[in-house]
Each structure stands twice: as C-alpha cells, then as structure tokens.
C-alpha cells in the first residue's frame, strides 16, 4: 500500500503554505525522484514468471490453426495459452455499473477483428525467453481485407442527441451561413509508463498490481470476468506514470495475467509493449464533423448544427461524444447535434483526455473562427456577443460561469488588442506571427467516494481511500485538505491510497477525483475531530475531563476550551496517549453529483480561453507555437502549482494534437504503422513554448463545499482550434483536418516565397 512518510517534506513545505490554495510541491516527489516509488512493473516476487502475448497480424478473418510446437520446447517456456486451453472468462454485466471498453474477453473465439488482437500468451522464466517463444508461435489465418478507411460514411441514420428550435428554417433564412467539415485522426495514448499487470493468486484470492486510473471499477470487472467474489480480488496501483484515459478501464492483458497466475500458481508479470499499446489498450477514435452555422449580419448566432461520425471496433460500442459541450457553450435558439458510430476493423477505442469535447471543440471553435472572418468580426468579439444568459440545453442557470472574463483576461495578458487581422501582416525577428484564440469548456461532476481519517497517538493524521494518484497530485491535494481542516502540518499527514482494501474511492477520470474526494474527506475529518473531543471529555486523564464536548474545539492539532485560546490547548497526541488509545477514526462518504442527475437544478461546467501565437517562416516552411496564454475558470484551485502543471501538460498535449499526433493504419493488414515513439510524433519540450496559465479561482459551491471543479482535462479542450486559427492568421491556410501537415502549409510557402 502506498503510504507516504512526510519526514523529508518538512523542510520544503515550511517554505510554502500548506492548506487549500497553497502551492505545495508534490508530497510524493521525493519517492519519485529517488526511485523508491513502486510502479506496477517494478514489483517482483519469488518464482515470478513473465508473460508475453502473441498478437494477430491480420485485422479481419479467423484463426485456422495455432502451431506452438517449436515455441513450446524453447528454453524457459512454461506454458503457451491459446483459446483452446485458457478456459472461459465471463462477460461483464453492463447493468451492474462495471465498465470495460473491450467487453469481449481475450482468446474468447477464433475470430480476428483488429490487428494486434491477442491470439496466444507465452509464459516463461524470463522476458527474453517469452518474447523469443512468442515470435516462434505460428498462426495460420483465413484472412479477408480489413476496412480501416479513415473517411467515414454514416451507415445508419444520424442519431439526434439534442435539438432545440428549428435549425433548418433558421439556416435557410440566415444572412450569413457556414458549412464545413472538420476531421480529427486516431490518436494513441502514450503515457511514459507502459500498461502492465503483476498477478498473484494464493489459491483463494487474487492480488493484482495494475496500471489503473480506477482501481475500484477494476476490481469489480476482474471479479465478474474471473468469476470470483470481489472480496477475493485486491487491486493495487500505488503510482501511475500517467494514463490520459487509456488506463481508466481494464484491458485484456489484466485478465490474461490473472488467469495464468491462477493456472500456473506462480506470480505473473505482463508488460504491454509500446507497439501493443497502439492496438490493445484503446485510442481516441477519429472523428468527422460537419458544422453548419448561421448568423445575423452583426454576428448573432441564429443556428448551430453538428453532425458527427466516429469509428468504433467491430464488437464494441465505444463513444466519442463530440457534442459534449456544443449545446451550452454559446447562446443559440436553434441547435441540433447528431452523431453516429461507424464500424472499422480497428481495435476498441476509449476515453482520451477530454473525450468527446476535445475533438468536438476543434470543429465548433474552428467554425466560430471561420464565421468571425466571414462577418469581419474579431473572433473574440463574436464569442463575447454570443454569451448565453442561461444553459439553454438544460434550461437552467449556470452555477459559476466566467467565460467572458476568462477571454478578456487572456486577451489583455496576450496583447490581443494589438492584433492586425490581415493574414501574414504581423512580423517579428524575420518571422511571420499568427495569433489565434478559442474558448474551452469541460464538465464538472462528482462520483461516490469514501474516506477514513485517523488521528493517531503519534501525532499524525492518516487518511485512507481507494483512490489513486495518476501523476497529477492527488496525494498532495488530499494532504492539503486534511491540513486545512485540522491545522495539522503536512509533515504529520500520511496519505494512503491505491489499494482496494481501503474504503472505495473515486476513479481518476473525467477530471472528477478531487471534487469527489472533498465531501468524503470533510465528513471524515469532522467525525474524527468529534471522536477526539469525546475522548478529551470522557478520559479521566484528560485536562478536559467532565467538560461537555460542546465547550471544546480542535484547532491546529490541539484540543482546547472554546472560550480559551487554542494555544492553551493540549496536543491531540497527548490526549490519546493519556487515554491509552492508539487513535480515533472518522469515516466520510459522499454521493455522486453529475450534470445529468441534477439536470433540473443547475449547469456545472468549467470554462477557459486559449490565446496562441505561432511563428511561420515561409522560406523554409517552418511553423512552431511560440507563446500560449491560457485562462482557466475551474472553481477553487486547491494547489496552484500542481494545477498549473496539469494545464501546462494539457496545452503541450494540445499542441501535439494540433501539429503532430496521428495514428496511421496500413490499408492491407490494418496495422498501426507508426506504432513507436519515433514515428508517432508527439510534442516534446522543444515544441513547448512559453506558457502563461491564469486561474480565475471562483469557488463553485454547487459541486462541493470547497468549490473545486476538475482540472485535468480542460487545458487540452479548445487548444487545437486556437492553434489552427493562429496558423490561418499567419499563413492564410485553413486546416480543417488535423494534424496540420507540412503539405498544407507548402501551399502558402510557395505563394509567399
Ligand atoms: Mo480522462 S480521458 O477521463 O482519464
């Protein structure tokens, strides 16, 4: 269980505040930089074996025969599993709330539906032996041509997701209309840490070290699919080297490792290779979105239509809900969003940072920029004048929306007022400057969560929850919440998460972990303090013996009389020691609060604005992002340091989305051809500009008592359309198909040089 001892943080935390709003450095940083933090694949156990899957080399067909004869006698090989000897897995009961994106269990049948699908699993003493034997497994296929075509055509009628007013009449009657199609490609999650499972079975129960953003759901899925009671499955994820949504739901390798551990009665380690991560653990689906806008001549939106398609796998029903933020972002009386999935011979898709809204906003915010040009309006002005008074989708007020202020603050800091709108008109240091902007939004919700807080006789406060820190600062913000509510210094706070033996915590997804923890932690602390005061009141050894608990208070780690100064009080550790108690516990539990569940009350979302500068050298067709100003309205910011780090990371990922990232599939065999970090291009430090992040910091009590909304995903929302708007301003080339390619820009390069 990941338990953080704060000894070495004393010094650093003394230099920063410790409570809510303090820019506290991560409390887990010393463990990480010293190599003591145990990531999933760092775990090793006596007798542990290594498993390496064999992946299909076709994308559509059936397995006729698997020949393991050569592989099976290779050095170190213990067992080779195929559909014939792995045994059955159960399916997930989808009405139970358990979630998995690849519902078909591994090795379930002989049908191949995507390149890379697992067809066998080799277990050997060492990784090298397992890899060599996996390469020696011969699979004979009956293969058919796959369909991995990028352009999508609706096979069924588009399904209406939201509709108000009469878009068709408004569109045909309008003075100004726009009708464009935008596409975004398949993007593959590439967290530094590979997916992995280390599975142990003791004859009765499983202990599974996993790379999971949601250990409680992971346990439920594994329990159902392995057919064992949930209490016999323990999931451990102490640290995660990021996930970006790719590690939200369990994947087939976890089942393979668990089953192999059960059959062989040996610990099994299975690490998913970088190449396999391009087909066995999800991706962001490609999208194709037709946007139609109409407006009055002075720029009031009169209709908005979004018709979108996205690909899904043959057997699964992954979603890429591009209309996520369309219906409430701007005021518009006539609006319709329709969407439909299209099947391809591509592996199952999954959530990727800001799923739905991020590709959706690329289309809708790009269209807003193009509409502003048609109108001869500043794109900032067009957005400001379409600010809605209420959420027209839910027909309720906004809980806390400061989009206009975010845009205006960003404009001031960026110097937007100095922008000359003429294409290619701004120059500096011999380079052409392009300035673009876009708005962004992301949902703000809570899921159910529980936590226990213990005040211990050693003077520490210990907090326990089956949450997980995916690298974003969850350990740290939990400690800050406890420090803030108890006055106990960070150095005496111990955070224990990442193990399903603990009270069930939230998933780390949908930017919901922090807000979900807030009420549970607050309640647990209130209860622990009430217990503490009761001990002080009833313990014969206590200085407060016989006083009513109503006369007592707990301040800065001391129990004191309410009518006397806190400094007159007694440290809680002394009271516990005198009473011979090891500690007192408080338990907290909170429910979900979602956009949907509260649809009749209030609209809770986060907002923001990006201002982007690109520099363009037409002589050598070189383009790069040189400056970003981002203003975020995400409620109360619990830790501006880790918060800014989240937004900066999301912006860099957004630059990758705009300029680099795209998974290419070979039309002949459906293979992701750029399945490595050399060919799948992502933004690096060298591509990361000066980034100025501003938080508006308006607490939103509609979501939780601290007023904190999520922060993990909103930074990437709207970034790509701000980049392509800047690219247009610099080059005159409007890129509607991401990523921006050199071929697109050469048109401008040839023109101007
Ligand atoms: Mo995020 S895509 O909900 O991990």
């Amino acid at each position: 269980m990941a338990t953080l001892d704060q000894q070495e943080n004393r010094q650093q935390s003394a230099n920063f505040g410790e409570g809510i709003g303090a820019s506290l450095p991560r409390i887990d940083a010393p463990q990480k930089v010293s190599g003591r933090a145990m990531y999933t694949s760092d775990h090793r156990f006596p007798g542990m074996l290594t498993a390496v899957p064999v992946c299909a080399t076709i994308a559509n067909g059936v397995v006729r025969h698997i020949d393991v004869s050569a592989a099976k006698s290779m050095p170190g090989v213990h067992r080779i599993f195929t559909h014939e000897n792995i045994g059955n897995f159960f399916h997930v009961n989808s009405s139970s709330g358990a979630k998995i994106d690849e519902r078909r269990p591994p090795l379930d049948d002989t049908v191949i539906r995507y390149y890379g699908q697992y067809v066998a699993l080799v277990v050997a003493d060492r990784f090298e032996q397992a890899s060599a034997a996996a390469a020696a497994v011969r699979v004979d296929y009956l293969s058919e041509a796959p369909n991995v075509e990028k352009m999508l055509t609706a096979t069924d009628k588009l399904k209406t997701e939201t509709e108000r007013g009469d878009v068709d009449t408004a569109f045909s009657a309008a003075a100004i209309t726009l009708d464009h199609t935008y596409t975004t490609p398949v993007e593959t999650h590439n967290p530094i840490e590979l997916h992995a499972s280390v599975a142990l079975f003791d004859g009765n129960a499983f202990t599974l070290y996993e790379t999971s953003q949601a250990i409680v759901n992971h346990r439920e899925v594994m329990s159902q699919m392995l057919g064992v009671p949930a209490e016999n499955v323990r999931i451990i994820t102490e640290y995660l080297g990021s996930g970006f949504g790719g590690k939200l739901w369990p994947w087939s390798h976890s089942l393979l490792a668990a089953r192999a551990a059960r059959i062989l009665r040996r610990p099994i380690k299975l690490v998913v290779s970088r190449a396999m991560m391009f087909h066995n653990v999800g991706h962001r689906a490609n999208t194709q979105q037709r946007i139609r806008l109409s407006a009055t001549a002075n720029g009031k939106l009169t209709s908005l239509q979004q018709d979108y398609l996205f690909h899904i796998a043959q057997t699964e029903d992954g979603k890429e809900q591009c209309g996520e933020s369309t219906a409430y972002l701007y005021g518009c009386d006539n609006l319709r969003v329709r969407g439909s999935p299209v099947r391809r011979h591509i592996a199952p898709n999954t959530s990727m940072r800001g799923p739905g809204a991020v590709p959706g906003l690329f289309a809708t915010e790009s269209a807003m920029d193009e509409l502003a040009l048609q109108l001869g309006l500043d794109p900032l002005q067009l957005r400001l004048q379409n600010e809605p008074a209420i959420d027209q989708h839910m027909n309720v007020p906004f809980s806390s929306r400061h989009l206009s202020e975010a845009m205006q603050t960003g404009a001031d800091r960026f110097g937007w007022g100095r922008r000359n709108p003429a294409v290619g008109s701004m120059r500096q240091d011999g380079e052409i400057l392009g300035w673009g902007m876009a708005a962004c939004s992301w949902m703000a919700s809570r899921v159910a969560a529980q936590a226990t807080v213990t005040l211990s006789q050693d003077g520490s406060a210990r907090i326990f929850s089956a949450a997980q820190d995916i690298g974003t600062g969850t350990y740290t913000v939990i400690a800050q919440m406890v420090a803030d509510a108890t006055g106990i210094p960070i150095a005496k706070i111990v955070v224990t998460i990442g193990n399903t033996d603990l009270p069930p915590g939230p998933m780390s997804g949908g930017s919901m972990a922090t807000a979900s923890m807030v009420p549970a932690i607050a309640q647990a602390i209130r209860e622990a303090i009430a217990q503490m005061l009761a001990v002080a009141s009833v313990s014969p050894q206590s200085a407060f013996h016989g006083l009513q608990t109503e006369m007592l208070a707990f301040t800065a780690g001391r129990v004191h009389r309410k009518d006397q100064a806190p400094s007159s009080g007694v440290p809680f550790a002394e009271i516990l020691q005198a009473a011979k108690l090891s500690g007192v516990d408080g338990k907290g539990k909170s429910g979900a609060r979602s956009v949907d569940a509260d649809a009749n009350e209030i609209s809770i979302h986060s907002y923001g604005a990006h201002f982007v500068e690109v520099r363009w050298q037409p002589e050598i067709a070189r383009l790069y992002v040189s400056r970003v100003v981002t203003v975020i309205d995400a409620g109360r910011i619990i830790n501006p340091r880790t918060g800014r780090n989240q937004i900066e990371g999301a912006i860099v990922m957004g630059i990758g989305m705009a300029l680099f990232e795209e998974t290419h599939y070979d039309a002949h065999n459906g293979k992701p051809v750029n399945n490595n970090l050399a060919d799948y291009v992502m933004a690096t430090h060298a591509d990361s500009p000066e980034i100025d992040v501003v938080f508006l910091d308006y607490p939103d009590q509609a979501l939780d008592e601290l007023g904190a909304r999520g922060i993990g995903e909103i930074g990437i929302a709207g970034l790509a359309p701000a980049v392509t708007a800047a690219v247009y301003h610099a080059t005159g080339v409007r890129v509607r198909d991401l990523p921006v390619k050199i071929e697109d820009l050469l048109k401008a390069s040839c023109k101007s040089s």
Side-chain angles (χ1 to χ4, degrees), residues 189 213 243-246 248 351-355 442 470 508-511 713:
H189 313 72
Q213 295 178 233
F244 307 120
L248 260 177
S351 307
M352 183 169 178
R353 207 173 199 174
W442 182 246
I470 63 173
S508 296
S511 304
E713 296 173 282

Side-chain angles (χ1 to χ4, degrees), residues 505-526:
M507 63 172 171
S508 296
S511 304
M512 291 186 280
T514 298
S516 302
M517 292 298 300
V518 167
I521 292 176
Q523 188 191 357
I525 292 169
R526 281 194 302 272

